[in-house]
Short mmCIF file of all heavy atoms in Angstrom, two decimals:
data_model
loop_
_atom_site.label_atom_id
_atom_site.label_comp_id
_atom_site.label_asym_id
_atom_site.label_seq_id
_atom_site.Cartn_x
_atom_site.Cartn_y
_atom_site.Cartn_z
N MET A 1 89.90 103.34 93.43
CA MET A 1 91.05 102.81 94.12
C MET A 1 90.59 102.22 95.46
O MET A 1 89.79 102.80 96.16
CB MET A 1 92.08 103.91 94.35
CG MET A 1 93.20 103.50 95.23
SD MET A 1 94.56 104.67 95.47
CE MET A 1 93.77 106.24 95.52
N ASP A 2 91.12 101.06 95.78
CA ASP A 2 90.86 100.44 97.07
C ASP A 2 91.95 100.86 98.04
O ASP A 2 93.11 100.99 97.66
CB ASP A 2 90.82 98.92 96.92
CG ASP A 2 89.63 98.48 96.08
OD1 ASP A 2 88.54 99.04 96.25
OD2 ASP A 2 89.79 97.57 95.26
N THR A 3 91.58 101.06 99.29
CA THR A 3 92.49 101.66 100.25
C THR A 3 92.47 100.91 101.57
O THR A 3 91.42 100.49 102.03
CB THR A 3 92.07 103.12 100.53
OG1 THR A 3 92.03 103.83 99.28
CG2 THR A 3 93.03 103.82 101.46
N VAL A 4 93.65 100.78 102.17
CA VAL A 4 93.78 100.30 103.54
C VAL A 4 94.37 101.46 104.35
O VAL A 4 95.41 102.00 103.99
CB VAL A 4 94.71 99.07 103.63
CG1 VAL A 4 94.97 98.68 105.07
CG2 VAL A 4 94.13 97.89 102.86
N ILE A 5 93.67 101.83 105.41
CA ILE A 5 94.11 102.90 106.29
C ILE A 5 94.69 102.24 107.54
O ILE A 5 94.03 101.41 108.17
CB ILE A 5 92.95 103.82 106.69
CG1 ILE A 5 92.25 104.41 105.47
CG2 ILE A 5 93.42 104.90 107.65
CD1 ILE A 5 93.06 105.39 104.68
N LEU A 6 95.92 102.62 107.90
CA LEU A 6 96.55 102.08 109.10
C LEU A 6 96.86 103.20 110.08
O LEU A 6 97.16 104.32 109.68
CB LEU A 6 97.86 101.38 108.73
CG LEU A 6 97.76 100.16 107.84
CD1 LEU A 6 99.17 99.65 107.49
CD2 LEU A 6 96.95 99.06 108.51
N GLU A 7 96.81 102.87 111.35
CA GLU A 7 97.19 103.84 112.38
C GLU A 7 98.71 103.81 112.53
O GLU A 7 99.27 103.27 113.47
CB GLU A 7 96.51 103.53 113.70
CG GLU A 7 96.74 104.63 114.71
CD GLU A 7 96.02 104.39 116.02
OE1 GLU A 7 95.26 103.42 116.14
OE2 GLU A 7 96.22 105.21 116.93
N VAL A 8 99.35 104.40 111.53
CA VAL A 8 100.81 104.57 111.50
C VAL A 8 101.07 105.97 110.97
O VAL A 8 100.18 106.59 110.38
CB VAL A 8 101.52 103.51 110.61
CG1 VAL A 8 101.26 102.11 111.13
CG2 VAL A 8 101.09 103.61 109.16
N ASN A 9 102.29 106.48 111.15
CA ASN A 9 102.57 107.82 110.62
C ASN A 9 102.63 107.79 109.10
O ASN A 9 102.66 106.72 108.48
CB ASN A 9 103.83 108.41 111.24
CG ASN A 9 105.05 107.59 110.95
OD1 ASN A 9 105.15 106.93 109.93
ND2 ASN A 9 106.01 107.61 111.85
N ALA A 10 102.63 108.94 108.48
CA ALA A 10 102.58 109.03 107.02
C ALA A 10 103.78 108.35 106.37
O ALA A 10 103.62 107.63 105.37
CB ALA A 10 102.49 110.49 106.59
N ASN A 11 104.98 108.55 106.91
CA ASN A 11 106.16 107.92 106.31
C ASN A 11 106.08 106.40 106.38
O ASN A 11 106.42 105.71 105.42
CB ASN A 11 107.43 108.42 106.99
CG ASN A 11 107.77 109.84 106.60
OD1 ASN A 11 107.40 110.30 105.53
ND2 ASN A 11 108.47 110.53 107.47
N GLY A 12 105.65 105.87 107.50
CA GLY A 12 105.48 104.43 107.63
C GLY A 12 104.45 103.89 106.65
O GLY A 12 104.63 102.84 106.05
N GLY A 13 103.37 104.62 106.48
CA GLY A 13 102.36 104.23 105.51
C GLY A 13 102.91 104.22 104.10
O GLY A 13 102.64 103.30 103.32
N ARG A 14 103.72 105.23 103.76
CA ARG A 14 104.33 105.25 102.42
C ARG A 14 105.29 104.08 102.22
O ARG A 14 105.37 103.52 101.13
CB ARG A 14 105.04 106.59 102.20
CG ARG A 14 104.08 107.72 101.88
CD ARG A 14 104.81 108.98 101.43
NE ARG A 14 105.46 109.67 102.54
CZ ARG A 14 104.87 110.57 103.31
NH1 ARG A 14 103.61 110.90 103.11
NH2 ARG A 14 105.54 111.16 104.28
N GLU A 15 106.04 103.71 103.27
CA GLU A 15 106.95 102.57 103.16
C GLU A 15 106.18 101.28 102.86
O GLU A 15 106.57 100.52 101.98
CB GLU A 15 107.73 102.38 104.47
CG GLU A 15 108.76 103.43 104.75
CD GLU A 15 109.43 103.21 106.10
OE1 GLU A 15 109.56 102.04 106.52
OE2 GLU A 15 109.80 104.21 106.73
N LEU A 16 105.11 101.06 103.60
CA LEU A 16 104.32 99.84 103.38
C LEU A 16 103.61 99.89 102.03
O LEU A 16 103.49 98.86 101.35
CB LEU A 16 103.33 99.64 104.53
CG LEU A 16 103.98 99.43 105.90
CD1 LEU A 16 102.90 99.34 106.98
CD2 LEU A 16 104.89 98.22 105.93
N ASP A 17 103.16 101.06 101.64
CA ASP A 17 102.51 101.21 100.33
C ASP A 17 103.49 100.88 99.21
O ASP A 17 103.13 100.18 98.26
CB ASP A 17 101.96 102.63 100.17
CG ASP A 17 101.18 102.79 98.89
OD1 ASP A 17 100.18 102.06 98.72
OD2 ASP A 17 101.58 103.62 98.06
N ALA A 18 104.71 101.36 99.30
CA ALA A 18 105.71 101.05 98.28
C ALA A 18 105.95 99.55 98.20
O ALA A 18 106.11 98.99 97.11
CB ALA A 18 107.02 101.79 98.57
N PHE A 19 105.95 98.89 99.34
CA PHE A 19 106.15 97.44 99.35
C PHE A 19 105.02 96.73 98.62
O PHE A 19 105.28 95.87 97.77
CB PHE A 19 106.26 96.92 100.79
CG PHE A 19 106.51 95.45 100.85
CD1 PHE A 19 107.80 94.96 100.71
CD2 PHE A 19 105.48 94.55 101.02
CE1 PHE A 19 108.05 93.59 100.73
CE2 PHE A 19 105.71 93.19 101.06
CZ PHE A 19 107.01 92.71 100.91
N ILE A 20 103.78 97.08 98.91
CA ILE A 20 102.68 96.36 98.27
C ILE A 20 102.53 96.73 96.79
O ILE A 20 101.86 96.03 96.04
CB ILE A 20 101.33 96.54 99.01
CG1 ILE A 20 100.80 97.96 98.89
CG2 ILE A 20 101.45 96.08 100.44
CD1 ILE A 20 99.35 98.13 99.32
N ARG A 21 103.15 97.83 96.38
CA ARG A 21 103.10 98.21 94.96
C ARG A 21 104.24 97.60 94.16
O ARG A 21 104.40 97.91 92.99
CB ARG A 21 103.07 99.72 94.82
CG ARG A 21 101.73 100.29 95.27
CD ARG A 21 101.57 101.75 94.97
NE ARG A 21 102.51 102.54 95.73
CZ ARG A 21 103.30 103.48 95.19
NH1 ARG A 21 103.26 103.72 93.91
NH2 ARG A 21 104.12 104.16 95.95
N GLY A 22 105.04 96.72 94.77
CA GLY A 22 105.99 95.99 93.95
C GLY A 22 107.40 95.85 94.48
O GLY A 22 108.21 95.22 93.82
N GLU A 23 107.71 96.42 95.64
CA GLU A 23 109.05 96.21 96.17
C GLU A 23 109.28 94.72 96.41
O GLU A 23 108.36 93.98 96.73
CB GLU A 23 109.25 96.96 97.48
CG GLU A 23 109.57 98.40 97.32
CD GLU A 23 109.93 99.07 98.64
OE1 GLU A 23 109.99 98.39 99.68
OE2 GLU A 23 110.12 100.28 98.62
N THR A 24 110.51 94.31 96.27
CA THR A 24 110.85 92.93 96.55
C THR A 24 111.22 92.78 98.01
O THR A 24 111.46 93.76 98.71
CB THR A 24 112.02 92.46 95.67
OG1 THR A 24 113.15 93.29 95.94
CG2 THR A 24 111.67 92.54 94.20
N GLY A 25 111.30 91.55 98.45
CA GLY A 25 111.72 91.29 99.81
C GLY A 25 110.68 90.52 100.60
O GLY A 25 109.60 90.20 100.11
N ASP A 26 111.05 90.26 101.82
CA ASP A 26 110.22 89.48 102.72
C ASP A 26 109.27 90.40 103.49
O ASP A 26 109.72 91.39 104.08
CB ASP A 26 111.15 88.74 103.69
CG ASP A 26 110.37 87.96 104.72
OD1 ASP A 26 109.56 87.12 104.33
OD2 ASP A 26 110.59 88.22 105.93
N PRO A 27 107.97 90.08 103.50
CA PRO A 27 107.02 90.95 104.22
C PRO A 27 107.34 91.10 105.71
O PRO A 27 107.23 92.20 106.25
CB PRO A 27 105.68 90.25 104.01
CG PRO A 27 105.85 89.44 102.78
CD PRO A 27 107.29 89.02 102.76
N ALA A 28 107.77 90.03 106.35
CA ALA A 28 108.08 90.12 107.79
C ALA A 28 109.27 91.05 108.02
O ALA A 28 109.26 91.84 108.97
CB ALA A 28 108.38 88.73 108.35
N GLU A 29 110.26 90.98 107.16
CA GLU A 29 111.41 91.88 107.29
C GLU A 29 111.01 93.31 107.02
O GLU A 29 111.47 94.25 107.68
CB GLU A 29 112.51 91.44 106.32
CG GLU A 29 113.73 92.32 106.33
CD GLU A 29 114.51 92.27 107.65
OE1 GLU A 29 114.29 91.36 108.46
OE2 GLU A 29 115.33 93.18 107.87
N ARG A 30 110.13 93.52 106.05
CA ARG A 30 109.68 94.88 105.72
C ARG A 30 108.95 95.49 106.91
O ARG A 30 109.15 96.65 107.24
CB ARG A 30 108.76 94.84 104.49
CG ARG A 30 108.39 96.20 104.00
CD ARG A 30 109.63 96.83 103.38
NE ARG A 30 109.53 98.26 103.45
CZ ARG A 30 110.37 99.05 104.14
NH1 ARG A 30 111.38 98.56 104.80
NH2 ARG A 30 110.19 100.33 104.15
N VAL A 31 108.08 94.71 107.55
CA VAL A 31 107.37 95.21 108.73
C VAL A 31 108.35 95.46 109.86
O VAL A 31 108.26 96.47 110.56
CB VAL A 31 106.26 94.21 109.16
CG1 VAL A 31 105.72 94.54 110.53
CG2 VAL A 31 105.14 94.21 108.13
N ARG A 32 109.31 94.57 110.05
CA ARG A 32 110.28 94.72 111.13
C ARG A 32 111.09 96.01 111.00
O ARG A 32 111.38 96.68 111.98
CB ARG A 32 111.23 93.53 111.16
CG ARG A 32 112.14 93.51 112.38
CD ARG A 32 113.12 92.37 112.35
NE ARG A 32 114.17 92.53 111.35
CZ ARG A 32 115.17 93.41 111.41
NH1 ARG A 32 115.26 94.24 112.42
NH2 ARG A 32 116.08 93.48 110.46
N THR A 33 111.43 96.41 109.77
CA THR A 33 112.26 97.58 109.55
C THR A 33 111.48 98.85 109.22
O THR A 33 112.07 99.92 109.10
CB THR A 33 113.28 97.32 108.41
OG1 THR A 33 112.56 97.06 107.21
CG2 THR A 33 114.19 96.15 108.75
N ALA A 34 110.18 98.74 109.08
CA ALA A 34 109.36 99.90 108.71
C ALA A 34 109.34 100.93 109.83
O ALA A 34 109.44 100.61 111.02
CB ALA A 34 107.93 99.46 108.38
N ASN A 35 109.16 102.18 109.43
CA ASN A 35 109.07 103.30 110.36
C ASN A 35 107.64 103.40 110.90
O ASN A 35 106.90 104.33 110.59
CB ASN A 35 109.49 104.59 109.65
CG ASN A 35 109.50 105.78 110.58
OD1 ASN A 35 109.64 105.64 111.78
ND2 ASN A 35 109.35 106.96 110.00
N ILE A 36 107.25 102.37 111.67
CA ILE A 36 105.90 102.30 112.24
C ILE A 36 106.02 101.97 113.73
O ILE A 36 107.08 101.56 114.20
CB ILE A 36 105.02 101.25 111.52
CG1 ILE A 36 105.63 99.85 111.63
CG2 ILE A 36 104.79 101.65 110.07
CD1 ILE A 36 104.77 98.74 111.05
N PHE A 37 104.93 102.13 114.45
CA PHE A 37 104.91 101.84 115.87
C PHE A 37 105.22 100.37 116.12
O PHE A 37 104.78 99.48 115.38
CB PHE A 37 103.55 102.18 116.47
CG PHE A 37 103.11 103.58 116.22
CD1 PHE A 37 101.95 103.84 115.52
CD2 PHE A 37 103.87 104.65 116.67
CE1 PHE A 37 101.53 105.14 115.28
CE2 PHE A 37 103.45 105.96 116.44
CZ PHE A 37 102.29 106.20 115.74
N ARG A 38 105.93 100.10 117.18
CA ARG A 38 106.31 98.73 117.53
C ARG A 38 105.08 97.84 117.70
O ARG A 38 105.12 96.66 117.33
CB ARG A 38 107.14 98.75 118.81
CG ARG A 38 107.85 97.48 119.07
CD ARG A 38 108.86 97.62 120.19
NE ARG A 38 108.58 98.71 121.11
CZ ARG A 38 108.73 98.65 122.41
NH1 ARG A 38 109.19 97.57 122.97
NH2 ARG A 38 108.46 99.69 123.17
N VAL A 39 104.00 98.37 118.21
CA VAL A 39 102.78 97.58 118.43
C VAL A 39 102.22 97.05 117.10
O VAL A 39 101.52 96.05 117.07
CB VAL A 39 101.72 98.40 119.22
CG1 VAL A 39 101.17 99.53 118.37
CG2 VAL A 39 100.63 97.50 119.74
N ASN A 40 102.54 97.72 115.99
CA ASN A 40 102.06 97.29 114.67
C ASN A 40 102.98 96.29 113.99
O ASN A 40 102.64 95.75 112.95
CB ASN A 40 101.89 98.50 113.75
CG ASN A 40 100.77 99.39 114.19
OD1 ASN A 40 99.89 98.99 114.94
ND2 ASN A 40 100.78 100.63 113.75
N LYS A 41 104.13 96.04 114.56
CA LYS A 41 105.11 95.15 113.93
C LYS A 41 104.77 93.71 114.27
O LYS A 41 105.41 93.06 115.10
CB LYS A 41 106.52 95.52 114.36
CG LYS A 41 106.91 96.89 113.86
CD LYS A 41 108.32 97.25 114.21
CE LYS A 41 108.61 98.64 113.64
NZ LYS A 41 109.98 98.81 113.28
N THR A 42 103.72 93.20 113.60
CA THR A 42 103.18 91.88 113.91
C THR A 42 103.23 90.97 112.70
O THR A 42 103.32 91.43 111.55
CB THR A 42 101.72 92.00 114.37
OG1 THR A 42 100.94 92.49 113.26
CG2 THR A 42 101.57 92.94 115.56
N SER A 43 103.11 89.69 112.97
CA SER A 43 103.04 88.73 111.86
C SER A 43 101.75 88.92 111.07
O SER A 43 101.71 88.69 109.87
CB SER A 43 103.16 87.29 112.37
OG SER A 43 102.14 87.01 113.30
N ALA A 44 100.69 89.38 111.74
CA ALA A 44 99.43 89.63 111.03
C ALA A 44 99.60 90.74 109.99
O ALA A 44 99.09 90.61 108.86
CB ALA A 44 98.33 90.01 112.03
N LEU A 45 100.31 91.81 110.34
CA LEU A 45 100.54 92.88 109.36
C LEU A 45 101.44 92.39 108.24
O LEU A 45 101.22 92.71 107.07
CB LEU A 45 101.12 94.12 110.03
CG LEU A 45 101.35 95.31 109.09
CD1 LEU A 45 100.07 95.73 108.37
CD2 LEU A 45 101.96 96.49 109.84
N ALA A 46 102.45 91.60 108.57
CA ALA A 46 103.32 91.04 107.54
C ALA A 46 102.52 90.16 106.58
O ALA A 46 102.70 90.24 105.35
CB ALA A 46 104.45 90.25 108.17
N ASP A 47 101.62 89.35 107.12
CA ASP A 47 100.76 88.51 106.27
C ASP A 47 99.89 89.38 105.37
O ASP A 47 99.73 89.09 104.18
CB ASP A 47 99.88 87.60 107.11
CG ASP A 47 100.64 86.50 107.82
OD1 ASP A 47 101.82 86.25 107.46
OD2 ASP A 47 100.07 85.89 108.74
N LEU A 48 99.33 90.45 105.94
CA LEU A 48 98.47 91.34 105.16
C LEU A 48 99.24 92.00 104.02
O LEU A 48 98.77 91.99 102.87
CB LEU A 48 97.85 92.41 106.05
CG LEU A 48 97.02 93.47 105.32
CD1 LEU A 48 95.81 92.85 104.64
CD2 LEU A 48 96.61 94.59 106.28
N ILE A 49 100.40 92.57 104.30
CA ILE A 49 101.11 93.26 103.22
C ILE A 49 101.64 92.28 102.18
O ILE A 49 101.73 92.62 101.00
CB ILE A 49 102.20 94.23 103.72
CG1 ILE A 49 103.36 93.51 104.37
CG2 ILE A 49 101.60 95.31 104.61
CD1 ILE A 49 104.57 94.39 104.62
N GLY A 50 101.99 91.06 102.60
CA GLY A 50 102.38 90.04 101.62
C GLY A 50 101.22 89.70 100.70
O GLY A 50 101.37 89.60 99.49
N TRP A 51 100.05 89.52 101.29
CA TRP A 51 98.85 89.20 100.51
C TRP A 51 98.49 90.36 99.58
O TRP A 51 98.17 90.15 98.41
CB TRP A 51 97.68 88.88 101.44
CG TRP A 51 96.48 88.42 100.70
CD1 TRP A 51 96.17 87.16 100.31
CD2 TRP A 51 95.41 89.25 100.21
NE1 TRP A 51 94.99 87.14 99.62
CE2 TRP A 51 94.50 88.42 99.54
CE3 TRP A 51 95.15 90.61 100.28
CZ2 TRP A 51 93.34 88.91 98.96
CZ3 TRP A 51 94.00 91.09 99.68
CH2 TRP A 51 93.10 90.24 99.03
N LEU A 52 98.55 91.60 100.11
CA LEU A 52 98.22 92.76 99.28
C LEU A 52 99.20 92.91 98.11
O LEU A 52 98.79 93.25 96.99
CB LEU A 52 98.22 94.04 100.12
CG LEU A 52 97.05 94.19 101.09
CD1 LEU A 52 97.27 95.38 102.01
CD2 LEU A 52 95.72 94.29 100.36
N ARG A 53 100.47 92.66 98.33
CA ARG A 53 101.44 92.73 97.24
C ARG A 53 101.09 91.70 96.16
O ARG A 53 101.10 92.01 94.97
CB ARG A 53 102.85 92.52 97.75
CG ARG A 53 103.90 92.67 96.66
CD ARG A 53 105.28 92.49 97.16
NE ARG A 53 105.45 91.16 97.75
CZ ARG A 53 106.58 90.70 98.23
NH1 ARG A 53 107.66 91.46 98.23
NH2 ARG A 53 106.65 89.51 98.75
N ASP A 54 100.76 90.48 96.58
CA ASP A 54 100.36 89.45 95.62
C ASP A 54 99.09 89.86 94.88
O ASP A 54 98.98 89.69 93.66
CB ASP A 54 100.15 88.11 96.31
CG ASP A 54 101.44 87.49 96.82
OD1 ASP A 54 102.53 87.92 96.38
OD2 ASP A 54 101.35 86.58 97.67
N TRP A 55 98.13 90.40 95.60
CA TRP A 55 96.87 90.86 95.00
C TRP A 55 97.13 91.95 93.95
O TRP A 55 96.59 91.92 92.86
CB TRP A 55 95.95 91.40 96.09
CG TRP A 55 94.72 92.08 95.58
CD1 TRP A 55 94.56 93.41 95.33
CD2 TRP A 55 93.49 91.46 95.20
NE1 TRP A 55 93.31 93.66 94.85
CE2 TRP A 55 92.64 92.49 94.75
CE3 TRP A 55 93.03 90.15 95.21
CZ2 TRP A 55 91.33 92.23 94.32
CZ3 TRP A 55 91.74 89.90 94.78
CH2 TRP A 55 90.91 90.92 94.34
N ASN A 56 97.97 92.91 94.31
CA ASN A 56 98.23 94.05 93.42
C ASN A 56 98.91 93.65 92.12
O ASN A 56 98.81 94.39 91.13
CB ASN A 56 99.07 95.10 94.14
CG ASN A 56 98.23 95.98 95.05
OD1 ASN A 56 97.00 95.94 95.02
ND2 ASN A 56 98.90 96.75 95.87
N ARG A 57 99.58 92.52 92.08
CA ARG A 57 100.27 92.10 90.86
C ARG A 57 99.32 91.93 89.68
O ARG A 57 99.72 92.15 88.54
CB ARG A 57 101.03 90.80 91.11
CG ARG A 57 102.26 91.01 91.95
CD ARG A 57 103.07 89.73 92.08
NE ARG A 57 104.23 90.00 92.90
CZ ARG A 57 104.65 89.22 93.88
NH1 ARG A 57 104.01 88.09 94.15
NH2 ARG A 57 105.71 89.54 94.58
N THR A 58 98.07 91.54 89.95
CA THR A 58 97.12 91.31 88.86
C THR A 58 95.80 92.07 89.03
O THR A 58 94.89 91.90 88.22
CB THR A 58 96.80 89.81 88.74
OG1 THR A 58 96.26 89.34 89.98
CG2 THR A 58 98.06 89.02 88.39
N ALA A 59 95.69 92.89 90.05
CA ALA A 59 94.42 93.56 90.36
C ALA A 59 94.09 94.65 89.35
O ALA A 59 94.95 95.42 88.94
CB ALA A 59 94.47 94.17 91.75
N ALA A 60 92.82 94.70 88.97
CA ALA A 60 92.35 95.79 88.12
C ALA A 60 92.39 97.11 88.89
O ALA A 60 92.67 98.16 88.32
CB ALA A 60 90.93 95.50 87.64
N ASN A 61 92.09 97.05 90.18
CA ASN A 61 92.14 98.22 91.07
C ASN A 61 93.13 97.92 92.19
O ASN A 61 92.75 97.38 93.22
CB ASN A 61 90.77 98.52 91.68
CG ASN A 61 89.79 99.00 90.67
OD1 ASN A 61 90.14 99.75 89.77
ND2 ASN A 61 88.55 98.57 90.79
N PRO A 62 94.39 98.27 92.01
CA PRO A 62 95.38 97.98 93.05
C PRO A 62 95.04 98.68 94.37
O PRO A 62 94.49 99.77 94.38
CB PRO A 62 96.69 98.52 92.48
CG PRO A 62 96.46 98.64 91.02
CD PRO A 62 95.00 98.90 90.85
N VAL A 63 95.37 98.02 95.45
CA VAL A 63 95.16 98.55 96.78
C VAL A 63 96.32 99.47 97.14
O VAL A 63 97.46 99.22 96.77
CB VAL A 63 95.06 97.38 97.80
CG1 VAL A 63 94.96 97.90 99.22
CG2 VAL A 63 93.88 96.49 97.46
N ARG A 64 96.03 100.54 97.87
CA ARG A 64 97.04 101.46 98.40
C ARG A 64 96.93 101.46 99.92
O ARG A 64 95.86 101.23 100.47
CB ARG A 64 96.81 102.88 97.88
CG ARG A 64 96.88 103.07 96.38
CD ARG A 64 98.26 102.92 95.80
NE ARG A 64 99.26 103.79 96.40
CZ ARG A 64 99.63 104.96 95.92
NH1 ARG A 64 99.10 105.43 94.80
NH2 ARG A 64 100.56 105.68 96.52
N ILE A 65 98.04 101.74 100.59
CA ILE A 65 98.07 101.89 102.04
C ILE A 65 98.38 103.34 102.37
O ILE A 65 99.26 103.95 101.77
CB ILE A 65 99.14 100.98 102.68
CG1 ILE A 65 98.72 99.51 102.58
CG2 ILE A 65 99.38 101.36 104.14
CD1 ILE A 65 99.75 98.55 103.15
N TYR A 66 97.63 103.87 103.35
CA TYR A 66 97.88 105.22 103.85
C TYR A 66 97.98 105.18 105.37
O TYR A 66 97.20 104.49 106.03
CB TYR A 66 96.76 106.19 103.44
CG TYR A 66 96.70 106.41 101.97
CD1 TYR A 66 95.86 105.67 101.16
CD2 TYR A 66 97.52 107.36 101.37
CE1 TYR A 66 95.83 105.87 99.79
CE2 TYR A 66 97.49 107.57 100.00
CZ TYR A 66 96.64 106.81 99.22
OH TYR A 66 96.61 107.00 97.87
N GLY A 67 98.94 105.91 105.91
CA GLY A 67 99.07 106.07 107.34
C GLY A 67 98.37 107.34 107.79
O GLY A 67 98.50 108.38 107.14
N ILE A 68 97.62 107.26 108.90
CA ILE A 68 96.80 108.41 109.31
C ILE A 68 97.13 108.95 110.70
O ILE A 68 96.46 109.87 111.16
CB ILE A 68 95.31 108.07 109.25
CG1 ILE A 68 94.99 106.90 110.18
CG2 ILE A 68 94.87 107.81 107.83
CD1 ILE A 68 93.53 106.74 110.50
N ASP A 69 98.15 108.44 111.37
CA ASP A 69 98.45 108.91 112.73
C ASP A 69 99.57 109.92 112.67
O ASP A 69 100.72 109.57 112.46
CB ASP A 69 98.82 107.73 113.62
CG ASP A 69 98.84 108.11 115.08
OD1 ASP A 69 99.10 109.29 115.40
OD2 ASP A 69 98.60 107.24 115.92
N CYS A 70 99.23 111.17 112.85
CA CYS A 70 100.21 112.26 112.74
C CYS A 70 100.98 112.40 114.03
O CYS A 70 100.47 112.93 115.02
CB CYS A 70 99.49 113.55 112.38
SG CYS A 70 100.63 114.93 112.18
N GLN A 71 102.21 111.93 114.06
CA GLN A 71 103.07 112.03 115.24
C GLN A 71 104.03 113.22 115.14
O GLN A 71 104.46 113.75 116.14
CB GLN A 71 103.88 110.75 115.43
CG GLN A 71 103.01 109.56 115.76
CD GLN A 71 102.38 109.70 117.13
OE1 GLN A 71 103.07 109.96 118.10
NE2 GLN A 71 101.08 109.53 117.21
N ALA A 72 104.39 113.56 113.92
CA ALA A 72 105.31 114.67 113.70
C ALA A 72 104.68 115.57 112.65
O ALA A 72 104.61 115.21 111.48
CB ALA A 72 106.67 114.15 113.24
N THR A 73 104.22 116.72 113.05
CA THR A 73 103.43 117.56 112.16
C THR A 73 104.16 117.98 110.89
O THR A 73 103.56 118.13 109.84
CB THR A 73 102.92 118.81 112.88
OG1 THR A 73 104.02 119.52 113.44
CG2 THR A 73 101.92 118.43 113.95
N SER A 74 105.44 118.17 110.95
CA SER A 74 106.17 118.60 109.76
C SER A 74 106.29 117.49 108.71
O SER A 74 105.85 117.66 107.58
CB SER A 74 107.55 119.13 110.13
OG SER A 74 108.25 119.56 108.99
N PRO A 75 106.86 116.32 109.04
CA PRO A 75 106.97 115.28 108.01
C PRO A 75 105.66 114.62 107.67
O PRO A 75 105.47 114.13 106.57
CB PRO A 75 107.96 114.28 108.60
CG PRO A 75 108.07 114.57 110.04
CD PRO A 75 107.60 115.98 110.25
N ASP A 76 104.73 114.54 108.63
CA ASP A 76 103.46 113.87 108.37
C ASP A 76 102.48 114.79 107.67
O ASP A 76 101.54 114.40 107.10
CB ASP A 76 102.83 113.35 109.67
CG ASP A 76 103.56 112.14 110.21
OD1 ASP A 76 104.37 111.55 109.47
OD2 ASP A 76 103.32 111.79 111.37
#
C-alpha cells in the first residue's frame, strides 16, 4: 500500500482518505470543510487530494492518507 502522511489529526486524515478513496465532490470544498488545521487548507492540498482520487480510480496499489498529529488523545 502506498501512503501519504499528513500533519493533521486522525479524524481529518480519515476524512481526506475517504475522499481519495471515492467520495464525490470538489477537492477544494472538501479541504475547506475538513477537520484539519487552517494552515493546511490550501489549494496545493486540494490539488493533491484531487489528483490522488483520480489516481486511485485505476491504481493497482491505491494510495491512503493518514493523519499523524495527535491533538486530542481520546479521538485521535
Side-chain angles (χ1 to χ4, degrees):
M1 172 175 37
D2 294 319
T3 304
V4 173
I5 304 292
L6 296 176
E7 188 177 356
V8 299
N9 61 30
N11 287 334
R14 283 190 286 273
E15 289 177 31
L16 298 176
D17 185 60
F19 182 83
I20 69 167
R21 289 188 294 130
E23 279 187 4
T24 59
D26 177 57
E29 178 67 15
R30 187 70 206 117
V31 167
R32 189 183 71 71
T33 62
N35 184 24
I36 60 175
F37 305 119
R38 194 169 24 140
V39 69
N40 292 341
K41 295 183 179 211
T42 65
S43 59
L45 182 56
D47 290 345
L48 175 63
I49 68 168
W51 185 87
L52 288 171
R53 183 179 60 178
D54 291 343
W55 171 267
N56 279 349
R57 287 185 180 135
T58 59
N61 292 322
V63 175
R64 300 290 305 264
I65 290 178
Y66 294 94
I68 60 163
D69 193 331
C70 182
Q71 294 292 309
T73 55
S74 180
D76 287 347

